[in-house]
Coordinates of all heavy atoms in Angstrom, one line a residue:
M1 N 15.6 -7.6 7.8 CA 16.4 -8.0 6.7 C 17.3 -6.9 6.3 O 18.5 -7.2 6.0 CB 15.5 -8.5 5.5 CG 14.8 -9.8 5.9 SD 13.6 -10.5 4.6 CE 14.2 -10.0 3.1
A2 N 16.9 -5.7 6.2 CA 17.7 -4.6 5.8 C 18.8 -4.3 6.8 O 19.9 -3.9 6.4 CB 16.9 -3.3 5.6
Q3 N 18.6 -4.6 8.1 CA 19.6 -4.4 9.1 C 20.4 -5.6 9.4 O 21.1 -5.6 10.4 CB 18.9 -3.8 10.3 CG 18.3 -2.5 10.1 CD 17.7 -1.9 11.4 OE1 17.8 -2.5 12.4 NE2 17.2 -0.7 11.3
G4 N 20.3 -6.6 8.6 CA 21.1 -7.8 8.8 C 20.5 -8.9 9.7 O 21.1 -9.8 10.1
K5 N 19.2 -8.7 10.1 CA 18.6 -9.6 11.0 C 18.1 -10.8 10.1 O 17.8 -10.6 8.9 CB 17.4 -9.0 11.7 CG 17.7 -7.8 12.5 CD 18.2 -8.2 13.8 CE 18.4 -7.0 14.7 NZ 19.0 -7.3 15.9
D6 N 17.9 -11.9 10.8 CA 17.3 -13.1 10.1 C 15.8 -13.1 10.2 O 15.3 -12.9 11.3 CB 17.9 -14.4 10.7 CG 17.5 -15.6 9.9 OD1 17.0 -15.5 8.8 OD2 17.7 -16.7 10.4
I7 N 15.1 -13.3 9.1 CA 13.7 -13.2 9.2 C 13.1 -14.4 10.0 O 12.0 -14.3 10.6 CB 13.1 -13.3 7.7 CG1 11.6 -12.8 7.8 CG2 13.2 -14.6 7.1 CD1 11.1 -12.4 6.5
N8 N 13.8 -15.5 10.2 CA 13.4 -16.6 11.0 C 13.4 -16.3 12.5 O 12.9 -17.0 13.3 CB 14.2 -17.8 10.7 CG 14.0 -18.3 9.3 OD1 12.8 -18.3 8.8 ND2 15.0 -18.7 8.6
D9 N 14.1 -15.2 12.9 CA 14.1 -14.8 14.3 C 12.9 -14.0 14.7 O 12.7 -13.7 15.9 CB 15.4 -14.0 14.6 CG 16.6 -14.8 14.5 OD1 16.6 -16.0 14.6 OD2 17.7 -14.2 14.2
L10 N 12.1 -13.6 13.8 CA 10.8 -12.9 14.1 C 9.9 -13.8 14.9 O 9.8 -15.0 14.7 CB 10.2 -12.4 12.9 CG 10.9 -11.3 12.1 CD1 10.2 -11.0 10.8 CD2 11.0 -10.0 12.9
P11 N 9.1 -13.2 15.8 CA 8.2 -14.0 16.6 C 7.0 -14.5 15.8 O 6.4 -15.5 16.1 CB 7.6 -13.0 17.7 CG 8.0 -11.7 17.2 CD 9.1 -11.8 16.3
F12 N 6.7 -13.9 14.7 CA 5.7 -14.4 13.8 C 6.1 -14.1 12.3 O 6.6 -13.1 12.0 CB 4.4 -13.6 14.0 CG 3.3 -14.0 12.9 CD1 2.6 -15.2 13.0 CD2 3.1 -13.2 11.9 CE1 1.7 -15.6 12.1 CE2 2.1 -13.5 10.9 CZ 1.5 -14.7 11.0
K13 N 6.0 -15.1 11.5 CA 6.4 -15.0 10.1 C 5.2 -15.6 9.3 O 4.8 -16.7 9.6 CB 7.7 -15.7 9.8 CG 8.2 -15.5 8.4 CD 9.5 -16.2 8.2 CE 9.2 -17.6 7.8 NZ 10.4 -18.4 7.4
A14 N 4.7 -14.9 8.3 CA 3.6 -15.3 7.5 C 4.1 -16.6 6.7 O 5.3 -16.7 6.3 CB 3.2 -14.2 6.5
K15 N 3.2 -17.5 6.5 CA 3.5 -18.7 5.8 C 4.2 -18.5 4.4 O 5.2 -19.1 4.1 CB 2.3 -19.6 5.7 CG 2.5 -21.0 5.2 CD 1.3 -21.8 5.3 CE 1.5 -23.2 4.9 NZ 0.3 -24.0 4.9
W16 N 3.5 -17.6 3.6 CA 4.0 -17.4 2.3 C 4.5 -15.9 2.2 O 4.1 -15.2 1.3 CB 2.9 -17.6 1.3 CG 2.6 -19.1 1.2 CD1 3.4 -20.1 1.3 CD2 1.2 -19.6 1.0 NE1 2.7 -21.3 1.2 CE2 1.4 -21.0 0.9 CE3 0.0 -19.0 0.8 CZ2 0.3 -21.8 0.7 CZ3 -1.1 -19.8 0.6 CH2 -0.9 -21.2 0.6
Y17 N 5.4 -15.6 3.1 CA 6.0 -14.2 3.1 C 6.6 -13.9 1.7 O 7.2 -14.7 1.1 CB 7.0 -14.0 4.2 CG 7.7 -12.7 4.1 CD1 7.0 -11.5 4.4 CD2 9.0 -12.6 3.8 CE1 7.6 -10.3 4.4 CE2 9.6 -11.4 3.7 CZ 8.9 -10.2 4.0 OH 9.5 -9.0 3.9
L18 N 6.4 -12.7 1.3 CA 6.9 -12.1 0.1 C 5.9 -12.4 -1.1 O 5.7 -11.5 -1.8 CB 8.3 -12.4 -0.3 CG 9.0 -11.5 -1.2 CD1 9.0 -10.1 -0.7 CD2 10.4 -11.9 -1.5
L19 N 5.4 -13.5 -1.1 CA 4.4 -13.8 -2.2 C 3.0 -13.1 -1.8 O 2.4 -12.6 -2.7 CB 4.2 -15.3 -2.4 CG 3.1 -15.7 -3.4 CD1 3.5 -15.2 -4.7 CD2 2.9 -17.2 -3.3
E20 N 2.7 -13.2 -0.5 CA 1.4 -12.6 -0.1 C 1.3 -11.1 -0.3 O 0.3 -10.7 -0.8 CB 1.1 -13.0 1.4 CG 0.8 -14.4 1.6 CD 0.7 -14.8 3.1 OE1 1.2 -14.1 3.9 OE2 0.0 -15.8 3.3
P21 N 2.3 -10.3 0.1 CA 2.1 -8.9 -0.1 C 2.1 -8.5 -1.6 O 1.3 -7.6 -2.0 CB 3.4 -8.3 0.5 CG 4.0 -9.3 1.3 CD 3.5 -10.6 0.9
I22 N 2.8 -9.2 -2.4 CA 2.8 -9.0 -3.9 C 1.5 -9.3 -4.5 O 0.9 -8.6 -5.3 CB 4.0 -9.7 -4.6 CG1 5.3 -9.1 -4.1 CG2 3.8 -9.7 -6.1 CD1 6.5 -10.0 -4.6
L23 N 0.9 -10.5 -4.0 CA -0.4 -10.9 -4.5 C -1.5 -10.0 -4.1 O -2.4 -9.6 -4.8 CB -0.7 -12.3 -4.0 CG -1.9 -13.0 -4.5 CD1 -2.0 -13.1 -6.0 CD2 -2.1 -14.3 -3.9
A24 N -1.4 -9.5 -2.8 CA -2.4 -8.5 -2.3 C -2.3 -7.2 -3.1 O -3.4 -6.6 -3.4 CB -2.1 -8.2 -0.8
L25 N -1.1 -6.7 -3.5 CA -1.0 -5.5 -4.3 C -1.6 -5.7 -5.7 O -2.4 -4.9 -6.1 CB 0.5 -5.1 -4.4 CG 0.8 -3.9 -5.2 CD1 0.1 -2.6 -4.6 CD2 2.2 -3.7 -5.4
I26 N -1.3 -6.8 -6.3 CA -1.9 -7.1 -7.6 C -3.4 -7.2 -7.5 O -4.1 -6.6 -8.4 CB -1.3 -8.4 -8.2 CG1 0.2 -8.2 -8.5 CG2 -2.1 -8.9 -9.4 CD1 0.9 -9.5 -8.8
M27 N -4.0 -7.8 -6.5 CA -5.4 -7.9 -6.4 C -6.0 -6.6 -6.1 O -7.1 -6.3 -6.7 CB -5.8 -8.9 -5.2 CG -5.4 -10.4 -5.6 SD -5.7 -11.5 -4.3 CE -7.5 -11.4 -4.1
C28 N -5.4 -5.7 -5.3 CA -5.9 -4.4 -5.1 C -5.9 -3.6 -6.4 O -6.9 -2.9 -6.7 CB -5.1 -3.6 -4.1 SG -5.4 -4.2 -2.4
I29 N -4.9 -3.7 -7.2 CA -4.9 -3.0 -8.5 C -6.0 -3.5 -9.4 O -6.7 -2.7 -10.1 CB -3.5 -3.2 -9.2 CG1 -2.4 -2.4 -8.4 CG2 -3.5 -2.7 -10.6 CD1 -1.0 -2.6 -8.8
I30 N -6.2 -4.8 -9.4 CA -7.3 -5.4 -10.2 C -8.7 -4.9 -9.8 O -9.5 -4.5 -10.6 CB -7.2 -6.9 -10.2 CG1 -6.0 -7.4 -11.0 CG2 -8.5 -7.5 -10.8 CD1 -5.7 -8.9 -10.8
V31 N -8.9 -4.8 -8.5 CA -10.2 -4.3 -7.9 C -10.3 -2.8 -8.3 O -11.4 -2.4 -8.7 CB -10.2 -4.5 -6.4 CG1 -11.4 -3.8 -5.8 CG2 -10.4 -6.0 -6.1
I32 N -9.3 -2.0 -8.1 CA -9.4 -0.6 -8.5 C -9.7 -0.4 -9.9 O -10.6 0.4 -10.3 CB -8.1 0.1 -8.1 CG1 -8.0 0.2 -6.6 CG2 -8.1 1.5 -8.7 CD1 -6.6 0.7 -6.1
I33 N -9.1 -1.1 -10.8 CA -9.3 -1.0 -12.2 C -10.7 -1.6 -12.6 O -11.4 -1.0 -13.4 CB -8.2 -1.7 -13.1 CG1 -6.9 -0.9 -12.9 CG2 -8.6 -1.8 -14.5 CD1 -5.7 -1.6 -13.5
G34 N -11.1 -2.6 -11.9 CA -12.3 -3.3 -12.3 C -13.6 -2.7 -11.7 O -14.6 -3.2 -12.0
Q35 N -13.4 -1.6 -10.9 CA -14.6 -1.0 -10.3 C -15.6 -0.6 -11.4 O -16.8 -0.8 -11.2 CB -14.2 0.2 -9.5 CG -13.6 -0.1 -8.2 CD -13.3 1.2 -7.4 OE1 -13.4 2.3 -7.9 NE2 -12.8 1.0 -6.2
N36 N -15.2 0.0 -12.4 CA -16.1 0.4 -13.5 C -15.2 0.4 -14.8 O -15.0 1.5 -15.4 CB -16.7 1.7 -13.2 CG -17.8 2.0 -14.2 OD1 -18.1 1.3 -15.1 ND2 -18.5 3.1 -13.9
Y37 N -14.8 -0.7 -15.2 CA -13.9 -0.8 -16.4 C -14.5 -0.3 -17.7 O -13.8 0.1 -18.6 CB -13.3 -2.1 -16.5 CG -14.2 -3.2 -17.0 CD1 -14.3 -3.5 -18.3 CD2 -15.0 -3.9 -16.0 CE1 -15.2 -4.5 -18.7 CE2 -15.8 -4.9 -16.5 CZ -15.9 -5.2 -17.8 OH -16.8 -6.2 -18.2
E38 N -15.9 -0.4 -17.8 CA -16.5 0.1 -19.0 C -16.3 1.6 -19.2 O -16.0 2.0 -20.3 CB -18.0 -0.2 -19.0 CG -18.3 -1.7 -19.1 CD -18.6 -2.3 -17.7 OE1 -18.6 -1.6 -16.7 OE2 -18.8 -3.5 -17.7
A39 N -16.5 2.3 -18.1 CA -16.3 3.8 -18.2 C -14.8 4.1 -18.4 O -14.5 5.1 -19.1 CB -16.8 4.5 -16.9
L40 N -13.9 3.3 -17.9 CA -12.5 3.5 -18.1 C -12.1 3.2 -19.6 O -11.4 4.0 -20.2 CB -11.7 2.6 -17.2 CG -10.2 2.8 -17.1 CD1 -9.9 4.2 -16.6 CD2 -9.5 1.8 -16.2
I41 N -12.7 2.2 -20.1 CA -12.3 1.8 -21.5 C -13.0 2.7 -22.5 O -12.3 3.2 -23.4 CB -12.7 0.3 -21.8 CG1 -11.8 -0.6 -21.0 CG2 -12.6 0.0 -23.3 CD1 -12.3 -2.1 -21.1
Q42 N -14.3 3.0 -22.3 CA -15.0 3.9 -23.3 C -14.6 5.3 -23.1 O -14.4 6.0 -24.1 CB -16.5 3.7 -23.1 CG -17.0 2.4 -23.4 CD -18.4 2.2 -23.1 OE1 -19.1 3.0 -22.5 NE2 -19.0 1.0 -23.4
G43 N -14.4 5.8 -21.9 CA -13.9 7.1 -21.7 C -14.8 8.2 -22.1 O -14.4 9.4 -22.3
R44 N -16.1 7.9 -22.3 CA -17.1 8.9 -22.7 C -17.7 9.7 -21.6 O -17.8 10.9 -21.7 CB -18.2 8.2 -23.5 CG -17.8 7.6 -24.8 CD -19.0 7.1 -25.5 NE -18.5 5.9 -26.3 CZ -19.3 4.9 -26.6 NH1 -20.5 4.9 -26.2 NH2 -18.8 3.9 -27.3
D45 N -18.0 9.1 -20.5 CA -18.8 9.7 -19.4 C -17.8 10.0 -18.3 O -17.5 9.1 -17.5 CB -19.9 8.8 -19.0 CG -20.8 9.5 -18.0 OD1 -20.7 10.7 -17.8 OD2 -21.7 8.8 -17.5
F46 N -17.3 11.2 -18.2 CA -16.3 11.6 -17.2 C -16.9 11.6 -15.8 O -16.2 11.2 -14.8 CB -15.8 13.0 -17.5 CG -14.8 13.5 -16.5 CD1 -13.5 12.9 -16.5 CD2 -15.1 14.4 -15.6 CE1 -12.5 13.3 -15.6 CE2 -14.1 14.8 -14.7 CZ -12.8 14.3 -14.7
V47 N -18.2 11.9 -15.6 CA -18.8 11.9 -14.3 C -18.9 10.5 -13.7 O -18.6 10.3 -12.6 CB -20.2 12.6 -14.4 CG1 -20.9 12.4 -13.0 CG2 -20.1 14.0 -14.8
T48 N -19.3 9.5 -14.6 CA -19.3 8.1 -14.1 C -17.9 7.7 -13.8 O -17.7 7.0 -12.7 CB -19.9 7.2 -15.2 OG1 -21.2 7.7 -15.6 CG2 -20.0 5.8 -14.8
L49 N -16.9 8.0 -14.5 CA -15.6 7.6 -14.3 C -15.1 8.3 -12.9 O -14.5 7.6 -12.1 CB -14.7 8.1 -15.4 CG -13.2 7.6 -15.3 CD1 -13.1 6.1 -15.4 CD2 -12.4 8.2 -16.4
L50 N -15.4 9.5 -12.7 CA -15.0 10.2 -11.5 C -15.7 9.6 -10.3 O -15.1 9.4 -9.3 CB -15.4 11.7 -11.6 CG -15.0 12.6 -10.5 CD1 -13.5 12.6 -10.3 CD2 -15.5 14.0 -10.6
T51 N -17.0 9.3 -10.4 CA -17.7 8.7 -9.2 C -17.2 7.3 -8.9 O -17.2 6.9 -7.8 CB -19.2 8.7 -9.4 OG1 -19.5 8.0 -10.6 CG2 -19.7 10.1 -9.5
S52 N -16.8 6.6 -9.9 CA -16.3 5.2 -9.7 C -15.0 5.2 -8.9 O -14.7 4.4 -8.1 CB -16.1 4.5 -11.0 OG -17.3 4.3 -11.6
Y53 N -14.1 6.2 -9.2 CA -12.8 6.3 -8.6 C -12.6 7.4 -7.6 O -11.5 7.8 -7.3 CB -11.8 6.4 -9.7 CG -11.8 5.1 -10.6 CD1 -12.4 5.2 -11.8 CD2 -11.2 4.0 -10.2 CE1 -12.4 4.0 -12.6 CE2 -11.2 2.8 -11.0 CZ -11.8 2.9 -12.2 OH -11.9 1.8 -13.0
I54 N -13.7 7.9 -7.1 CA -13.6 9.1 -6.1 C -12.9 8.6 -4.8 O -12.2 9.4 -4.2 CB -15.0 9.7 -5.8 CG1 -14.9 11.0 -5.1 CG2 -15.9 8.7 -5.0 CD1 -14.4 12.1 -6.0
G55 N -13.1 7.4 -4.4 CA -12.4 6.9 -3.2 C -10.9 6.9 -3.3 O -10.2 7.2 -2.4
L56 N -10.4 6.6 -4.5 CA -8.9 6.6 -4.7 C -8.4 8.0 -4.6 O -7.4 8.3 -4.0 CB -8.6 6.0 -6.1 CG -7.2 6.0 -6.5 CD1 -6.4 5.1 -5.6 CD2 -7.1 5.5 -8.0
W57 N -9.1 9.0 -5.3 CA -8.6 10.4 -5.2 C -8.8 10.9 -3.8 O -7.9 11.7 -3.4 CB -9.4 11.2 -6.2 CG -9.1 10.8 -7.6 CD1 -10.0 10.2 -8.5 CD2 -7.9 10.8 -8.4 NE1 -9.4 9.8 -9.7 CE2 -8.1 10.2 -9.6 CE3 -6.6 11.2 -8.0 CZ2 -7.1 10.1 -10.6 CZ3 -5.6 11.1 -9.0 CH2 -5.9 10.5 -10.2
L58 N -9.8 10.6 -3.1 CA -10.0 11.0 -1.8 C -8.9 10.5 -0.8 O -8.4 11.2 0.0 CB -11.4 10.6 -1.3 CG -11.8 11.1 0.1 CD1 -11.9 12.6 0.1 CD2 -13.2 10.5 0.5
F59 N -8.6 9.2 -1.0 CA -7.5 8.6 -0.2 C -6.2 9.4 -0.5 O -5.5 9.7 0.5 CB -7.3 7.2 -0.5 CG -6.1 6.6 0.0 CD1 -5.9 6.3 1.4 CD2 -5.0 6.4 -0.8 CE1 -4.7 5.8 1.9 CE2 -3.8 5.9 -0.3 CZ -3.7 5.6 1.0
L60 N -5.9 9.6 -1.7 CA -4.6 10.3 -2.0 C -4.6 11.7 -1.5 O -3.6 12.2 -1.0 CB -4.4 10.3 -3.6 CG -4.1 8.9 -4.2 CD1 -4.1 9.0 -5.7 CD2 -2.8 8.3 -3.6
L61 N -5.7 12.4 -1.6 CA -5.8 13.7 -1.1 C -5.6 13.8 0.5 O -4.9 14.6 1.0 CB -7.2 14.4 -1.4 CG -7.4 15.8 -1.0 CD1 -6.5 16.7 -1.8 CD2 -8.8 16.2 -1.3
I62 N -6.3 12.9 1.2 CA -6.1 12.8 2.6 C -4.7 12.4 3.0 O -4.1 13.0 3.9 CB -7.2 11.8 3.2 CG1 -8.6 12.4 3.1 CG2 -6.9 11.5 4.7 CD1 -9.7 11.5 3.5
W63 N -4.1 11.5 2.3 CA -2.8 11.1 2.6 C -1.8 12.2 2.4 O -0.9 12.5 3.2 CB -2.4 9.9 1.7 CG -1.0 9.4 1.9 CD1 -0.5 8.7 2.9 CD2 0.1 9.7 1.0 NE1 0.9 8.5 2.7 CE2 1.3 9.1 1.6 CE3 0.2 10.4 -0.2 CZ2 2.5 9.2 1.0 CZ3 1.5 10.4 -0.8 CH2 2.6 9.8 -0.2
A64 N -1.9 12.9 1.2 CA -1.0 14.0 1.0 C -1.2 15.2 2.0 O -0.3 15.8 2.4 CB -1.3 14.5 -0.5
G65 N -2.5 15.4 2.4 CA -2.7 16.4 3.4 C -2.1 16.1 4.7 O -1.5 16.9 5.4
H66 N -2.2 14.8 5.1 CA -1.6 14.4 6.3 C -0.1 14.6 6.3 O 0.5 15.0 7.3 CB -1.9 12.9 6.6 CG -1.1 12.3 7.7 ND1 -1.4 12.6 9.0 CD2 -0.1 11.4 7.7 CE1 -0.5 11.9 9.8 NE2 0.3 11.2 9.0
K67 N 0.5 14.2 5.2 CA 2.0 14.4 5.0 C 2.4 15.8 5.1 O 3.4 16.2 5.7 CB 2.5 13.8 3.7 CG 2.3 12.3 3.6 CD 3.2 11.6 4.5 CE 4.5 11.2 3.9 NZ 5.4 10.4 4.7
L68 N 1.6 16.7 4.5 CA 1.9 18.2 4.5 C 1.7 18.8 5.9 O 2.5 19.6 6.3 CB 1.1 18.9 3.5 CG 1.4 18.7 2.0 CD1 0.4 19.3 1.1 CD2 2.8 19.2 1.7
I69 N 0.6 18.4 6.6 CA 0.3 19.0 7.9 C 1.3 18.5 8.9 O 1.8 19.3 9.7 CB -1.1 18.7 8.3 CG1 -2.1 19.5 7.3 CG2 -1.4 19.0 9.7 CD1 -3.5 19.1 7.5
T70 N 1.5 17.2 9.0 CA 2.4 16.6 10.0 C 3.9 16.7 9.7 O 4.7 16.5 10.5 CB 2.1 15.2 10.3 OG1 2.3 14.4 9.1 CG2 0.6 15.0 10.8
K71 N 4.2 17.0 8.4 CA 5.6 17.1 7.9 C 6.3 15.8 8.2 O 7.5 15.8 8.5 CB 6.3 18.3 8.5 CG 5.7 19.6 8.0 CD 6.5 20.7 8.6 CE 6.0 22.1 8.2 NZ 4.7 22.5 8.6
S72 N 5.6 14.6 8.2 CA 6.2 13.4 8.5 C 7.1 12.9 7.3 O 6.8 13.2 6.1 CB 5.2 12.3 8.8 OG 4.3 12.1 7.7
K73 N 8.2 12.2 7.6 CA 9.1 11.8 6.6 C 9.1 10.3 6.6 O 8.9 9.7 7.7 CB 10.4 12.4 6.8 CG 10.5 13.9 6.6 CD 11.9 14.4 6.8 CE 11.9 15.9 6.5 NZ 11.5 16.8 7.5
A74 N 9.5 9.6 5.6 CA 9.7 8.2 5.5 C 10.9 7.8 6.4 O 11.9 8.6 6.5 CB 9.9 7.7 4.1
I75 N 10.8 6.7 7.1 CA 11.9 6.2 7.9 C 12.8 5.3 7.1 O 12.3 4.4 6.5 CB 11.3 5.5 9.1 CG1 10.5 6.4 10.0 CG2 12.5 4.9 10.0 CD1 9.8 5.7 11.1
D76 N 14.1 5.6 7.1 CA 15.0 4.8 6.4 C 15.1 3.4 7.1 O 15.2 3.3 8.3 CB 16.4 5.5 6.4 CG 17.5 4.7 5.6 OD1 17.1 3.9 4.8 OD2 18.7 4.9 5.9
L77 N 15.0 2.3 6.3 CA 15.0 1.0 6.9 C 16.3 0.7 7.7 O 16.3 -0.1 8.6 CB 14.8 0.0 5.8 CG 13.4 0.0 5.1 CD1 13.4 -1.0 4.0 CD2 12.3 -0.2 6.1
L78 N 17.4 1.3 7.2 CA 18.7 1.0 7.9 C 18.8 1.8 9.2 O 19.6 1.5 10.1 CB 19.8 1.4 7.0 CG 19.9 0.5 5.7 CD1 21.0 1.0 4.8 CD2 20.1 -0.9 6.1
Q79 N 18.0 2.9 9.4 CA 18.0 3.7 10.6 C 16.9 3.4 11.6 O 16.9 4.0 12.7 CB 18.0 5.2 10.2 CG 19.1 5.6 9.2 CD 20.5 5.5 9.9 OE1 20.7 5.7 11.0 NE2 21.4 5.0 9.1
A80 N 15.9 2.6 11.2 CA 14.8 2.4 12.1 C 15.2 1.7 13.4 O 16.1 0.8 13.3 CB 13.8 1.5 11.3
D81 N 14.6 2.1 14.5 CA 15.0 1.5 15.8 C 14.1 0.2 16.0 O 12.9 0.3 16.3 CB 14.7 2.5 16.9 CG 15.0 1.9 18.3 OD1 15.8 1.0 18.3 OD2 14.5 2.5 19.2
I82 N 14.7 -0.9 15.8 CA 14.0 -2.2 16.0 C 14.6 -3.0 17.2 O 14.2 -4.1 17.5 CB 13.9 -3.0 14.7 CG1 15.3 -3.4 14.3 CG2 13.2 -2.3 13.7 CD1 15.4 -4.4 13.1
K83 N 15.6 -2.4 17.8 CA 16.3 -3.1 18.9 C 15.4 -3.2 20.2 O 15.6 -4.1 21.0 CB 17.6 -2.4 19.3 CG 18.5 -2.4 18.2 CD 19.8 -1.6 18.5 CE 20.7 -1.6 17.3 NZ 21.6 -0.5 17.3
R84 N 14.4 -2.4 20.4 CA 13.6 -2.4 21.6 C 12.7 -3.6 21.6 O 12.1 -4.0 22.6 CB 12.8 -1.2 21.8 CG 11.8 -0.9 20.7 CD 11.1 0.4 20.9 NE 10.4 0.9 19.7 CZ 9.5 1.7 19.7 NH1 9.1 2.3 20.8 NH2 8.9 2.0 18.5
Y85 N 12.5 -4.3 20.4 CA 11.7 -5.5 20.3 C 12.6 -6.7 20.4 O 13.6 -6.8 19.7 CB 10.9 -5.5 19.0 CG 10.0 -4.3 18.8 CD1 10.3 -3.4 17.9 CD2 8.9 -4.2 19.6 CE1 9.5 -2.3 17.8 CE2 8.0 -3.1 19.5 CZ 8.4 -2.1 18.5 OH 7.5 -1.0 18.4
N86 N 12.4 -7.5 21.4 CA 13.3 -8.7 21.6 C 12.9 -9.8 20.7 O 12.1 -10.6 21.0 CB 13.2 -9.1 23.1 CG 13.9 -8.2 24.0 OD1 14.9 -7.5 23.6 ND2 13.5 -8.1 25.2
Y87 N 13.6 -9.9 19.6 CA 13.5 -11.0 18.7 C 14.8 -11.3 18.1 O 15.7 -10.6 18.1 CB 12.4 -10.9 17.7 CG 12.6 -9.8 16.7 CD1 13.3 -9.9 15.6 CD2 12.0 -8.5 16.9 CE1 13.5 -8.9 14.7 CE2 12.1 -7.5 16.0 CZ 12.9 -7.7 14.9 OH 13.1 -6.7 14.0

């Protein structure tokens, strides 16, 4: 879409494209917040809060470490090579 292609030319298109990714993001945020919302709301027990959300911090740490070690950069959607795929 960013390079002027028609989304209907893709070999596979999700039935509810654009609604599904947004809904999935909202559901992920709800799950992350709802893991231990009592500790988040009360804010008294830092250890409980930390252990509930350790996976989130671990993911962010691994992702940032990967970005620093590999020095990978985001690919601009207008510059991405999608011509090798025949659609």
Side-chain angles (χ1 to χ4, degrees):
M1 289 176 32
Q3 294 183 2
K5 303 278 186 185
D6 187 13
I7 196 163
N8 293 319
D9 292 339
L10 291 172
F12 173 77
K13 185 177 86 170
K15 188 175 183 179
W16 294 323
Y17 173 70
L18 202 56
L19 177 64
E20 288 176 337
I22 293 170
L23 184 61
L25 178 64
I26 291 170
M27 290 175 67
C28 285
I29 291 170
I30 290 170
V31 167
I32 289 171
I33 292 172
Q35 283 180 359
N36 193 354
Y37 70 94
E38 290 98 3
L40 188 63
I41 291 172
Q42 294 172 356
R44 293 186 211 149
D45 190 7
F46 181 72
V47 174
T48 304
L49 186 64
L50 183 64
T51 56
S52 295
Y53 296 100
I54 193 73
L56 179 63
W57 298 112
L58 185 61
F59 167 76
L60 293 174
L61 182 67
I62 291 172
W63 177 78
H66 170 74
K67 294 294 265 181
L68 289 172
I69 291 170
T70 62
K71 296 180 176 69
S72 62
K73 295 181 173 84
I75 298 172
D76 183 22
L77 295 178
L78 297 175
Q79 302 298 322
D81 180 22
I82 59 172
K83 295 176 185 161
R84 62 183 167 158
Y85 302 108
N86 287 331
Y87 63 86

